[in-house]
Amino acid sequence: MKYCRKCGKELDDAAVVCPHCGVLVNEDALKTTKQSNTIAVVGFIFSFLIAIVGLICCIIGLKKSAETGTGKGLSIAGIIISVANMVLGWLIYLPVLQQLAFAGLGI
Ligand SMILES: [Zn+2]
C-alpha cells in the first residue's frame, strides 16, 4: 500500500491520481501514456503537410489506440484531414493538369 504525498491518505497501488484530493501520484504511468500515442500526434501533424504520410501514421496510431486507449480521436481527425487534403489537392491540381495536357496536345 502507498500513500498520497499531498493528503497522506492510503492509495491503491495501481492509482494514477489520488481519489481523495486529485493530485497526480503516478507520473510514470502518465509518461507511458503520452509516449504511446506519439505516432498519432506525428500522423496528425503530417496530415496537414504530407497527406499520405499522415494517413499511414494515423492508421497505425488508430490501431495502437485500440491497445493503449489513447490517441483515438487524434488518429481519426488525422485520417479525415489527410483524406480531405488529398481530395482537395486533386480538385485543385487535376483541372490544371488537364489544361496542361490539352494545351500540350494542341486541342
Ligand atoms: Zn491525496
Side-chain angles (χ1 to χ4, degrees), residues 4 7 18 20-21 23:
C4 175
C7 67
C18 174
H20 305 287
C21 66
V23 76

Side-chain angles (χ1 to χ4, degrees), residues 20-97:
H20 305 287
C21 66
V23 76
L24 189 69
V25 290
N26 191 349
E27 277 156 38
D28 291 334
L30 207 70
K31 272 180 199 163
T32 312
T33 303
K34 273 185 179 173
Q35 276 175 350
S36 66
N37 68 10
T38 308
I39 190 78
V41 177
V42 170
F44 184 75
I45 294 162
F46 267 108
S47 69
F48 291 98
L49 308 169
I50 309 163
I52 190 69
V53 177
L55 187 65
I56 292 163
C57 289
C58 283
I59 289 166
I60 297 165
L62 191 65
K63 278 182 182 173
K64 216 169 183 182
S65 76
E67 299 164 22
T68 61
T70 55
K72 193 183 178 184
L74 203 63
S75 298
I76 293 167
I79 289 167
I80 293 164
I81 293 161
S82 301
V83 171
N85 219 340
M86 281 191 273
V87 170
L88 270 173
W90 277 110
L91 286 176
I92 293 163
Y93 292 116
L94 207 61
V96 177
L97 287 171

